[in-house]
Amino acid sequence: MSIIYHYCDLNAFISIAKNKKLWLSDATKMNDYLELKFFRNTLETEINKRLNISDEKEYINSYIEFYNLLGLSTQIPYICCFSTNGDLLSQWRAYGNDGKGVSIGFDKNKFPLRLPLDKDNQASDFINSNYSDDLACSYNVKSSIGFKKIDYGIDKARLKINEILSLIQLSQESSDDNVKTFTRLTAQSNALNSTFSIKNSGFSEESEIRLIYTPLQMHKDGKICNVPNEISSLQYRSIGDDIVSYYEYNFCYENTESPIIELVIGPKCKMTIEDVQYFLGTCGITGVKITKAQSSYR
């Protein structure tokens, strides 16, 4: 069993338990804006280091072009964050309403991560009816969703960057247009994923795992079209002085077992264990281990 914990306030907890849905939000609107810059800044530094390396000078223009194009990507991952630690003071402060919320323990292995097959067919129909056959055939029409364990530190970033730059070299050296295209797309995908899955070592205490959904998007007439292979319709909510887009992810379909198996009541939360038991029972969720946080927090 692999338990992961989602910290939230009580309103979010009630919504999650009643509706059996999590919100996967625009990754570019996360709390820590600088987090997104960590991998890109490291990539820029590593490219600059290679300016004076004789064996790599012939690739520098390709590196720089790749870096600049990466910043123009419109593909946005949508994420929901978890921790492998269900009672962590920093998480209570940042995400658990200053200790007044809860952390919900999910059995990661019980999440339904496959998209319905009929929606894959909808995506194929959409592309084929809106784009040329050649373009339609060049895309994998399945959106992706899955868990990603976050890596921390400069060494992890450099290791991934070395792999990415090796792909750029291969793309430049190949005389096969298909190989050129495939290697550059792979490099771009790896770089985008790393932007959202490698963080500064200062965050390592979080022991974070992310549920990441990447909707398939196509461009038509200057507009971005979301292909109908989505886990839900795209929705919006307000946070402070901004609006944030999100998708709803149904983690428990009818007649399936809920992945919620544990719940930790925050150190400043007034709910009792009995309160939680009765509430979860009304939601059809039973057999949940409920505990009070041991973190000392006033």
Side-chain angles (χ1 to χ4, degrees):
M1 185 184 299
S2 180
I3 305 177
I4 54 176
Y5 299 87
H6 179 68
Y7 289 76
C8 60
D9 62 27
L10 294 185
N11 284 326
F13 164 55
I14 290 171
S15 174
I16 290 168
K18 289 176 67 175
N19 300 313
K20 315 296 188 297
K21 292 178 180 179
L22 290 165
W23 289 4
L24 279 61
S25 300
D26 180 345
T28 65
K29 298 291 185 77
M30 291 186 297
N31 290 349
D32 189 351
Y33 161 74
L34 293 176
E35 175 186 320
L36 298 181
K37 288 192 168 185
F38 174 70
F39 184 81
R40 283 182 55 81
N41 288 346
T42 308
L43 175 59
E44 182 179 14
T45 298
E46 292 301 305
I47 290 175
N48 287 334
K49 284 181 181 178
R50 288 161 167 77
L51 292 175
N52 297 315
I53 299 177
S54 57
D55 291 344
E56 298 205 41
K57 282 188 176 181
E58 63 180 298
Y59 304 114
I60 291 300
N61 288 337
S62 293
Y63 293 163
I64 294 173
E65 179 188 18
F66 173 78
Y67 178 83
N68 290 334
L69 288 174
L70 189 64
L72 299 176
S73 173
T74 60
Q75 190 175 37
I76 299 174
Y78 286 77
I79 67 172
C80 184
C81 299
F82 303 82
S83 173
T84 60
N85 189 331
D87 188 6
L88 192 60
L89 191 55
S90 61
Q91 296 294 89
W92 287 124
R93 287 172 170 160
Y95 306 108
N97 192 21
D98 197 36
K100 301 181 185 73
V102 299
S103 73
I104 308 171
F106 294 87
D107 182 346
K108 184 163 69 74
N109 297 324
K110 292 182 180 179
F111 274 79
L113 295 179
R114 294 193 61 173
L115 295 170
L117 291 175
D118 61 327
K119 293 200 172 183
D120 292 338
N121 295 332
Q122 288 178 28
S124 299
D125 292 342
F126 176 89
I127 294 174
N128 288 326
S129 63
N130 285 275
Y131 299 90
S132 69
D133 290 340
D134 289 342
L135 179 60
C137 291
S138 69
Y139 279 82
N140 175 359
V141 297
K142 292 183 179 179
S143 303
S144 66
I145 186 167
F147 286 102
K148 174 65 178 175
K149 184 177 184 296
I150 301 303
D151 290 320
Y152 299 94
I154 197 77
D155 290 340
K156 291 287 188 180
R158 286 172 178 159
L159 183 64
K160 181 57 68 175
I161 287 167
N162 286 337
E163 295 175 5
I164 291 167
L165 296 184
S166 293
L167 288 169
I168 300 301
Q169 292 179 19
L170 178 60
S171 175
Q172 180 173 315
E173 293 168 355
S174 177
S175 58
D176 187 321
D177 287 341
N178 289 328
V179 172
K180 284 179 177 290
T181 300
F182 177 77
T183 51
R184 289 189 73 85
L185 287 175
T186 302
Q188 181 182 23
S189 177
N190 288 349
L192 288 171
N193 287 336
S194 297
T195 299
F196 299 99
S197 62
I198 300 180
K199 299 172 66 171
N200 189 295
S201 57
F203 293 98
S204 60
E205 182 195 40
E206 295 176 347
S207 188
E208 186 177 356
I209 291 178
R210 288 177 174 171
L211 179 60
I212 302 178
Y213 171 59
T214 307
L216 178 64
Q217 294 180 330
M218 304 286 284
H219 293 258
K220 185 175 177 64
D221 300 329
K223 298 179 180 179
I224 297 175
C225 302
N226 283 313
V227 178
N229 186 32
E230 301 167 341
I231 56 176
S232 75
S233 60
L234 183 64
Q235 302 185 55
Y236 288 84
R237 71 183 188 276
S238 64
I239 297 182
D241 57 357
D242 198 1
I243 61 171
V244 178
S245 60
Y246 69 96
Y247 287 92
E248 290 184 327
Y249 169 67
N250 189 337
F251 59 79
C252 184
Y253 293 102
E254 189 176 357
N255 298 323
T256 61
E257 187 179 0
S258 170
I260 297 177
I261 60 172
E262 190 173 330
L263 189 128
V264 183
I265 300 171
K268 294 165 68 175
C269 181
K270 295 181 180 179
M271 278 197 311
T272 66
I273 291 176
E274 289 74 20
D275 289 334
V276 179
Q277 287 174 331
Y278 289 137
F279 168 66
L280 290 178
T282 66
C283 299
I285 301 173
T286 59
V288 177
K289 177 184 177 183
I290 305 168
T291 58
K292 292 282 289 186
Q294 299 301 304
S295 302
S296 178
Y297 185 27
R298 295 183 180 274

